[in-house]
Each structure stands twice: as C-alpha cells, then as structure tokens.
Amino acid sequence: MSTAVRPPAPSHPGVDHPSLVPALLLADSLSPGADVDGRRPVRRSVRDWFVDLVVFLAAVGLGLLLLLESSARPDPPSDGLLATDLLVGAAGCLLLWGRRRWPVAVAAVLALIGAFSSMAGVAVLVALFTVAVHRTWRTVLLVAGLNLATFLVYDHLRPDPDLPGPLSLALGVVLTAAVVAWGMFVRARRQLVVSLRDRAVRAETEQRLRVDQARQLERTRIAREMHDVLAHRLSLLSMHAGALEYRPDAAPEEVARAAGVIRASARGALEDLREVIGVLRDTGDGALSDRPQPTLADLADLVEESRAAGLRVRMEYRVPDVEAVPTMTGRTVYRVVQEALTNVRKHAGGTVACVRVTAEPGAGIEVEVTNPASLSADPGTPLPGSGTGLVGLIERVGLAGGTLEHGWTADGEFRLRAWLPQPQPAAET
C-alpha cells in the first residue's frame, strides 16, 4: 500500500525565492546583542555567498591595481614594504569573509591595516559599508572616525605626489562619507522591508485569530439556537407521550393523531440534532448550513403548534407593521415566546398560557408570557431541564439591546417579560 507524502512546507512563507534574498531579511528571531538590529546570526543565502565572493574578488583585484600603481610611482616604496603590503593586504581581504558575523571587529582591524597598506584600501571601504548597514549610527561614526584617522596616517606615510595634501584629505573624507551614506541607506531600506514583513505576519496572525474567534462565536450561537429548538420539540414529544401513557383507553383516532405528532417531533428533533453536529464538526473549509431562521412572522405558527400539542394558549398580538421589525429583534421575540411556552409545558401542564406581544413606534416591542402554577395534583415525573434556558434568554435579549425579567407575581402567576428596542423608520424627505 502506497503512502502519500506531503511536500515540505516552505521554510519562509511568502518568499518565492529565498536564495535570492539576503539572509538577514529571512531571520525570524530577535535577540539583543546579535548580528543586526538584534537579529541572531543566520546562515548565508545563495545570494549572500555570491555577493561575498564578488566583493572579495573585487577587493583583491582593485587592491592589486592600487599596489601596482604605488610601485610605478617615480619614488616607489621599498621592495620589503611592497611585499609586506601585499601579504598584509591579502590577509585583510580574507577578513572580509567574516564581516557579516563580526562587522565592527573586521572594520577596526582593516582600518589599522589600511594605515600603511594600499592592497587593503578597497577592503577597508567594504568593511565600513558593512558596519553602516549592520550597526547603529553611533558605532558607524566611531568606525568612520577611525578610518579617517588611519587615512591621515596613510597619507602621511605614503603621500601621492600628483595630489596636493588638502585635496587628498578632501577626497578621503568625501569617499568615507559616501560609503557611510550608502550603507545607512541600505540599512534603512532593509529595516523598512523587515518592518513591513513583520507587520504582514502580525496582520495575518490577527486575521487568523479573528476568524477562529468568529467561528467559535458562530458555533456558540448555533448551539444556543439548537437548545431552544430541541427543548421545544422534545417537550411536545414528551407531552403527547404522557397523554398516551395516562389515557390508554383513548379512541384510536386520538392515539393515531398523538403518534403522528410524536413521530413528526422526533423526526424534527433528529434533523436539528444532525444539523448542529454537522456544524460543530465543520472546520471552516466546507459551507455551513444556511437554514432559514424564524422571524416575528412565524410567531403565529409557533402558537398554533403548541395548541395542536394540547397546550392552551391565549394570544394577544398587536404589531402594526411586522415588516418594519428588524430581523434580529423578530427572531429574539420568537425565541422568547418559544422558551416561555416550553417552560409552561415542562412545569405548568394543564394551565393557560397568556402571550402578549405589543409594539409601538419609538417605544420598542414588549413580550409578556404569564401562566399560573400547575393545576395537576399529581404532575408525574417532571421533564428534565438544563437550567440554562432563561440564562440564555437573558444573554440573547441583552445582545439585542433589551431587558428581560422573570419571576412570580403577587397573584401567584409566573411572568416572563422582555423589552426590545425598535428603531424608528426614517422619515421620507
């Protein structure tokens, strides 16, 4: 049996060709006192190796040209000095391979070598450029000052007969300043790239967290909806099953009708349960279920369904314009009445539930459900409850900007009252 092998994930997401990017920009961790701006030393990329090789060869080649130019002067240095210049300058060029790891140390050593070596002249400038790229401006100024001091020593020991002293000094200052400015420009540009990259990574992480939070909130909302729906359906099922249990001598037509309601309620409960399990198992890759949610217009069907189940309900409905009620507000009203009727079936069987829904423009929507205590002397086994229905209603109504009160009145009735705001329709102009 063959096993599929997943290709390895790219070590640097978002970078198409990491080998063509400076290794510094691919560093992921920060540490004080490390290579660049707190970054730990990292391995050179292919691009870094190529640049270092080109820089080394350029430093050696141009250094040899400067050494040949010095030996071709009318008053050339001695052969011993030229040999020493060649050997020490070549060693200085080799030090360039360590400029990324120890930029300040390499620059300081090369500055001292440059005090008498023409061969190391280009290597000195390369090391100064590296310090300008990798270190802060205070360190750059110190290294640049050291370079200028050693340049004065070099100009004094090996002056150029074709250049006056002031002009040679000005040329050295301009060249040093140009290298420092170029290096600091590269440093600023790299810092900008790193900053943009870190910002993009942080934004991607925050977006992922927001998506996870939104998914969790959506699942919590769905679970709350399913609690309301399942409690309603299962209470209907239990009521009809109880009627069959306590009335074994009922007519066949009544038994058949009750069995039909039980079957329909059980099927609906199973469908709702299957849906919520499917949603909670969803990882975000598939499409979530999009069943239509109840609104205020479905309130009459809810009451008729309860009446068909044997619950006596007295309904008072005064909402002038159902279409003007916001969807969220209408759904909240529906859930309040549904939970209230479910509680009546659970705890006050045989009583009459009074439902009153009124709405006035600018005054909001008021929902009130009242019922007396249970009239049955032997209520039988009470239906189980999670004890969180009213708690969930308080949270739901609060999210809609309303308030909810519940408790026993002085008349011995249990009252559940909710108020929800209703925005006024915009005036036509």
Side-chain angles (χ1 to χ4, degrees), residues 409-427:
T409 65
D411 299 333
E413 291 186 335
F414 187 85
R415 185 183 70 169
L416 186 147
R417 178 184 177 276
W419 175 86
L420 295 165
Q422 181 182 6
Q424 297 183 4

Side-chain angles (χ1 to χ4, degrees), residues 66-394:
L66 291 176
L67 187 61
L68 291 176
E69 188 274 335
S70 178
S71 64
R73 291 177 182 177
D75 187 14
S78 63
D79 293 340
L81 182 59
L82 289 176
T84 303
D85 189 341
L86 177 61
L87 293 177
V88 176
C93 291
L94 288 175
L95 288 177
L96 291 178
W97 289 101
R99 66 189 179 91
R100 296 182 185 273
R101 187 71 178 271
W102 305 285
V104 177
V106 171
V109 172
L110 283 174
L112 297 178
I113 294 175
F116 63 89
S117 174
S118 299
M119 176 74 180
V122 177
V124 171
L125 296 178
V126 172
L128 178 60
F129 173 81
T130 303
V131 172
V133 172
H134 293 269
R135 289 295 180 262
T136 59
W137 62 272
R138 292 185 178 87
T139 305
V140 175
L141 290 181
L142 290 176
V143 176
L146 178 62
N147 278 16
L148 289 177
T150 56
F151 177 77
L152 291 176
V153 175
Y154 176 85
D155 192 58
H156 177 73
L157 295 177
R158 303 176 64 175
D160 189 347
D162 297 332
L163 288 177
L167 182 59
S168 178
L169 178 61
L171 182 61
V173 172
V174 170
L175 190 59
T176 301
V179 171
V180 169
W182 183 22
M184 297 191 74
F185 169 76
V186 173
R187 169 187 170 84
R189 184 175 178 274
R190 289 188 178 182
Q191 284 182 332
L192 176 62
V193 172
V194 171
S195 174
L196 293 176
R197 172 194 162 212
D198 293 342
R199 187 181 303 175
V201 171
R202 186 166 56 251
E204 182 179 355
T205 303
E206 292 176 354
Q207 175 65 17
R208 185 164 55 251
L209 291 177
R210 284 195 295 267
V211 170
D212 293 341
Q213 183 180 14
R215 184 179 296 120
Q216 186 63 32
L217 291 176
E218 180 66 11
R219 291 183 177 185
T220 303
R221 184 191 66 81
I222 293 173
R224 187 187 301 120
E225 293 282 345
M226 296 312 299
H227 165 270
D228 298 337
V229 173
L230 286 177
H232 172 71
R233 292 188 182 278
L234 293 178
S235 64
L236 291 177
L237 190 151
S238 179
M239 175 178 290
H240 283 276
L244 290 178
E245 179 182 3
Y246 285 99
R247 293 189 60 189
D249 57 343
E253 293 80 7
E254 295 181 3
V255 173
R257 184 167 56 253
V261 174
I262 291 175
R263 183 184 62 178
S265 299
R267 179 182 299 173
L270 287 175
E271 292 178 354
D272 294 332
L273 183 60
R274 186 183 300 112
E275 178 187 3
V276 72
I277 291 176
V279 170
L280 294 179
R281 285 180 177 175
D282 187 85
T283 59
D285 299 332
L288 296 179
S289 177
D290 191 19
R291 287 183 57 180
Q293 295 296 316
T295 61
L296 192 60
D298 300 316
L299 192 58
D301 296 336
L302 173 66
V303 173
E304 290 301 324
E305 182 181 8
S306 298
R307 288 172 176 168
L311 181 65
R312 292 183 292 174
V313 182
R314 184 182 302 130
M315 181 70 177
E316 182 180 350
Y317 187 80
R318 291 185 296 176
V319 180
D321 188 3
V322 177
E323 300 296 332
V325 178
T327 303
M328 180 179 179
T329 303
R331 183 180 306 124
T332 304
V333 171
Y334 183 95
R335 294 305 184 192
V336 168
V337 176
Q338 183 183 55
E339 180 66 21
L341 295 180
T342 300
N343 289 337
V344 172
R345 284 193 295 269
K346 286 182 178 180
H347 309 295
T351 63
V352 178
C354 299
V355 179
R356 184 171 62 89
V357 180
T358 58
E360 297 181 5
I365 298 179
E366 182 176 345
V367 183
E368 185 177 84
V369 181
T370 59
N371 64 274
S374 177
L375 301 178
S376 176
D378 183 16
T381 304
L383 295 179
S386 63
T388 60
L390 293 178
V391 176
L393 276 188
I394 294 175

